[in-house]
Amino acid sequence: MSSLRHRLFAAGFAAASAVRANEWLRPLARGCGIILTFHHVRPWRERAFAPNRLLEITPEFLDRTLTTLKELGFELIALDDLPRRLSEKDAPPFAVLTFDDGYRDNLLYAMPVLRRHGAPWTMFVTANYADGAGRLWWCELEEALTRLKRVSIHVGGRRIECPCAGPDEKAKAFERLYWALRAEPEDRLLATVTLLADEAKVDAAALVRELCLTWDELKALAREPGVSIGAHTVTHAMLAKHSEDDAWREMVEGRAAIAAQLKVEVRHFAFPVGDPTSAGPRDFALARKAGFTTAVTTRPGHVFPEHGAHLHALPRISVNGLFQSEEALRGLLSGVPFLAWNRGRRLNVS
Ligand SMILES: [Zn+2]
């Protein structure tokens, strides 16, 4: 779906084989730890058009990921322990596990695997989703294009017209629409997806209720040993697209809703979407000012001791559903792909 992410993972693949050729790069590339990002964890439901597949892995691959981490000497730690860990010398590499948005499949399929491995983890909850409202707009877009045979819609001042019959046409239409929409202000993005969803008779609210945990389910989850709940805004807003006041409200009101509903302290924040177009230096400063202990992006990379001074702009590595292989995983854990991606820099915080 995301050409940016596709390019990264293509780089990851090249680097996975380069790991063997360039063993010498590894000490340079590997940080003191990593933060992994997960979205859906569920058995694969076979379908030809699945543009959001990168956001979904099977429970078996989660199990394989955790086993591989242990085999490579990574210690699974809680996000709470990350700041202290950055200043520890000679500690083994750490891995922090994070799950975004608050999906029900995390409870059904990920939690048993995480429990079996004794792994602590953090779930970042979007308050509106837990309310059974809000917009999983990329899922709405997938559903709409699954049903439509043709697309004709205004985005960003021009009309996108394309056939949308077979899986190839649908994939192309999704790619075009997704990136045209991502360039838009968020209200226009949502209004445009609403038009397509209405045309295709997609029930946006039903999608949220089907896919996302309710506050009652989250209450039970928050009591699980090793589980911490973090904030992920009220509406899943791409904060950098909004005014400072609105970005601030999204952060602190999302946290307040979780604290009020679940009676837990919320110490961590994840920027929705989390790439540089969705979270920048202003937003990192807001997360710090709001008093979060850490804030995580989706800027790809390992965590280095230098990140101790940038705890509100932490990089994460997405475990990508398109590349559920041991080889891809070992490439990412080596850090080598990110060395190229970040042009040799350890920090990508501006
Ligand atoms: Zn999210």
Side-chain angles (χ1 to χ4, degrees):
M1 157 177 90
S2 134
S3 58
L4 180 100
R5 283 174 285 175
H6 278 315
R7 271 187 281 127
L8 171 66
F9 281 89
F13 261 136
S17 26
V19 170
R20 250 153 278 141
N22 294 309
E23 283 290 336
W24 57 273
L25 267 179
R26 208 189 284 210
L28 198 68
R30 190 152 134 174
C32 54
I34 53 170
I35 310 171
L36 295 180
T37 311
F38 301 90
H39 288 86
H40 295 284
V41 178
R42 59 191 176 195
W44 174 244
R45 188 166 51 81
E46 193 54 53
R47 56 206 192 275
F49 172 59
N52 290 309
R53 189 175 185 178
L54 76 171
L55 302 176
E56 152 167 23
I57 64 165
T58 64
E60 292 73 26
F61 192 65
L62 177 62
D63 188 43
R64 168 98 323 255
T65 301
L66 299 184
T67 302
T68 302
L69 283 168
K70 288 177 175 171
E71 282 170 7
L72 292 174
F74 283 84
E75 191 184 332
L76 303 175
I77 69 165
L79 191 46
D80 273 330
D81 295 330
L82 180 143
R84 182 175 45 79
R85 192 62 179 251
L86 292 184
S87 56
E88 278 177 16
K89 300 235 182 325
D90 304 322
F94 65 80
V96 172
L97 310 174
T98 64
F99 294 73
D100 285 13
D101 302 338
Y103 295 118
R104 185 168 293 116
D105 55 50
N106 292 175
L107 186 69
L108 295 175
Y109 298 107
M111 195 163 82
V113 177
L114 293 157
R115 251 193 209 151
R116 207 161 55 236
H117 283 270
W121 55 290
T122 297
M123 174 180 269
F124 289 109
V125 170
T126 299
N128 272 358
Y129 296 163
D131 291 334
R135 303 287 304 274
L136 293 162
W137 64 264
W138 57 98
C139 298
E140 293 174 31
L141 185 63
E142 173 177 345
E143 275 298 312
L145 297 192
T146 300
R147 297 174 191 199
L148 295 175
K149 299 277 183 281
R150 181 158 191 91
V151 168
S152 174
I153 190 112
H154 262 103
V155 187
R158 62 198 173 88
R159 181 157 284 274
I160 292 185
E161 299 226 35
C162 50
C164 193
D168 291 345
E169 286 178 354
K170 288 181 191 296
K172 279 196 194 106
F174 187 95
E175 182 81 9
R176 256 182 95 183
L177 281 166
Y178 179 89
W179 289 107
L181 288 164
R182 279 284 304 274
E184 289 278 270
E186 195 141 14
D187 55 346
R188 291 233 293 278
L189 178 163
L190 293 173
T192 307
V193 174
T194 297
L195 288 175
L196 286 166
D198 286 350
E199 186 187 345
K201 302 198 167 44
V202 173
D203 183 343
L207 264 180
V208 172
R209 288 195 302 270
E210 179 199 332
L211 294 174
C212 295
L213 292 162
T214 63
W215 289 117
D216 278 342
E217 289 170 308
L218 286 165
K219 268 175 207 152
L221 182 65
R223 283 197 295 271
E224 276 284 313
V227 174
S228 72
I229 306 290
H232 199 40
T233 74
V234 178
T235 70
H236 206 265
M238 292 179 257
L239 297 181
K241 288 174 176 274
H242 295 268
S243 71
E244 185 166 332
D245 283 353
D246 287 346
W248 174 259
R249 259 199 303 279
E250 285 278 352
M251 273 184 203
V252 299
E253 289 179 10
R255 173 175 62 188
I258 296 168
Q261 290 280 352
L262 307 182
K263 312 280 186 277
V264 293
E265 197 190 332
V266 183
R267 293 180 292 275
H268 306 283
F269 180 79
F271 295 101
V273 185
D275 70 321
T277 71
S278 313
R282 182 204 70 183
D283 310 297
F284 305 151
L286 286 178
R288 181 189 296 267
K289 185 176 154 200
F292 288 106
T293 306
T294 73
V296 297
T297 69
T298 58
R299 297 182 185 215
H302 278 214
V303 181
F304 290 93
E306 292 90 324
H307 283 105
H310 301 276
L311 289 175
H312 301 84
L314 292 172
R316 288 194 293 173
I317 296 172
S318 179
V319 177
N320 187 312
L322 293 170
F323 301 102
Q324 298 181 60
S325 75
E326 178 91 25
E327 190 192 29
L329 192 61
R330 285 178 183 265
L332 297 175
L333 299 179
S334 75
V336 173
F338 308 110
L339 198 67
W341 181 258
N342 291 322
R343 290 186 226 92
R345 290 172 307 171
R346 290 177 158 199
L347 291 176
N348 172 9
V349 297
S350 55

